[in-house]
Amino acid sequence: MLGRYRIFRCPPNIDSKYSLIVFDYNGSPFIPLTEYFHDEKGRIADSSIINYLNILLPFFYWMDLNSSYRGSRVTWDMPPEVIRVAVKDYLRVEMYCKVRHWNTFELVRQTKNSPDTINRFLAALKSFYKSMIRLNNYPHENPLVDNLSEKIHILSGFRSGRPRMPSAAGTETPFRSTYRGQSDSYFKMYQNEWFPVILDDATLPSQVYDAVKTAKLTLRDQVIIRMLFETGARVSEVIEVTIGDLRARRSIREIATFNKGSNGRRTKFLLFSNDTYILLMRYLKTERIKHDTLGLPHDKLPDDAPLFISNRGTPYNYHAWYAHWKKAIQISSLKINPHKTRHWYVTNVMRTIYETSANDSERTIRIREFVRYMRWRSKETLVVYEHFFDEKKQLELIDKVHKNMKEEEEKYYKKDANNLIRNYNMEHDLQKIVIEDSEILNFFEGLE
C-alpha cells in the first residue's frame, strides 16, 4: 500500500459510514479526500467524482514529498496564497505548463509536453476546496477562485448562479466572447481550446494488444481493453457493468451500460466482436469463478453481481485496472492514455462512414445514427472529426489534381520530345537529300 495515494472501496461485510476511503502514501486514511467523495456523492455522478479523485491523488502525493513554501512542505489546509504557490509549481514542474501572473490571476498555457488533464485537474481542485469550505473544514477562501478581480463579468446562464455555457454545449444561446474568459478561476487557461484527438493509425489496437500479451495481463484486463477499442465506451462504462447488464440484451455480443450524467441508469448498450465474446466467456468460466467469493458460475449469479472482479473477489475499479494498463503501455513504445481508445474508435467509425457512404445524404443519416449510439447530446462533438475527414477528402482530391497535372506535363514533354525527334529526322533527311543531289550533280558534271 505504501508509495502513493490509493482509493479503496469499503468491503460489503464491513459496517462503515464511508463507502470509499482514500489512503495516503504512508498507508493512513486521508480524511479530506474521503469526505470530499462523500460530500459530492449525489451531486455529480460517481464516475465523475472518481475521475476527479484519480486526478487529485498525484497532486496530494507531490505536495507531501516535493512542495515547498518558505522552506516548508505545503499542506492542503494552508491559506490560499500558499496553496496557489504549490499549484503554480505543480503546473510548471509536473504538467509542463507555462504560467504567468496577470492582473489578479494566473494565465496557464499548455505546451506540447503537457497532459490533456490540466483543465480537469484545476476543476477537480476547485471542486475539492468548495467541498471543504461547505463542510467547514477549510476556514479560508477558495484558493482556486479569483475573488479580487473587478474585470470579470460573468454572463448568467439558465442555471441559477452559474455562468452561461459555451455554444458547443448546445444548451443555451451562445455569446461571442469566449466563455473561458468569463471564468472566476484563479488559474485561467488561454490559447488552448479543446479539440478531440484524431487517431488515424489503423494498427493502434494491434499494437496495444501486443503490449498486453508482452505484459502478460489477465483475461479480465484483455477483455476490458478490447471492449474499449471496439465500443468507444469510457473505462468506467465497461469496468462497472454487472452480470445483469450482460443478460439485459438479446444479443450475446451486447451489454447494457450507463452513460455520463445518467446517474447509473442504463441508457445505452455496447456491441463487441465475436473474439471478445469468446474471451469474455473464457474469463467468466475460469478467472472470475476462481476469485468469486460465492464460487458460483456466472449463470447462477444475481443480476447485481459485478461482471469484473478483483483477485480478492471485490468489484473491479478504475484505479486497480489503470495500474495494469500503465504496465502494458510502459513496456511498449506507445504514449497513450486509456481515453485515447475512445478517440480512436470515433475516428475509425467516421473513416468507415466516409469511405462506405454512397452519397452525402447517406453519410448524414449514418452520422446521426452514430451520435445516437454514442448518446452524445450534441452532434457538435463530431465537428472536428468531420472536418478532419472532409479535409482528408479534399487533400485526396488535390493529390489527384496534382497527379493529373503531372501526367499532362509528362505527355506534353513527351510530345515535345517527339516533335524534336521528328524535326531532327526531317532536317537529317533534307540534308541527306541535298547531299545526294549534290553528288548526282557532280557526277553529271564529271560526265560533261
Side-chain angles (χ1 to χ4, degrees), residues 182-193:
Q182 307 298 325
S183 170
D184 64 348
S185 297
Y186 181 78
F187 293 93
K188 300 181 190 295
M189 299 291 293
Y190 75 106
Q191 294 183 2
N192 181 45
E193 294 299 325

Side-chain angles (χ1 to χ4, degrees), residues 352-363:
T352 304
I353 290 175
Y354 269 75
E355 290 178 351
T356 59
S357 297
N359 49 54
D360 290 344
S361 297
E362 181 181 346
R363 185 183 69 189

Side-chain angles (χ1 to χ4, degrees), residues 219 223 272-284:
L219 275 172
V223 170
F272 43 89
S273 69
N274 283 324
D275 290 341
T276 299
Y277 171 75
I278 293 171
L279 288 177
L280 175 60
M281 289 299 105
R282 190 182 302 168
Y283 161 71
L284 291 174

Side-chain angles (χ1 to χ4, degrees), residues 325-334:
W325 165 274
K326 188 175 180 180
K327 176 184 175 182
I329 296 303
Q330 285 178 340
I331 287 176
S332 71
S333 59
L334 300 170

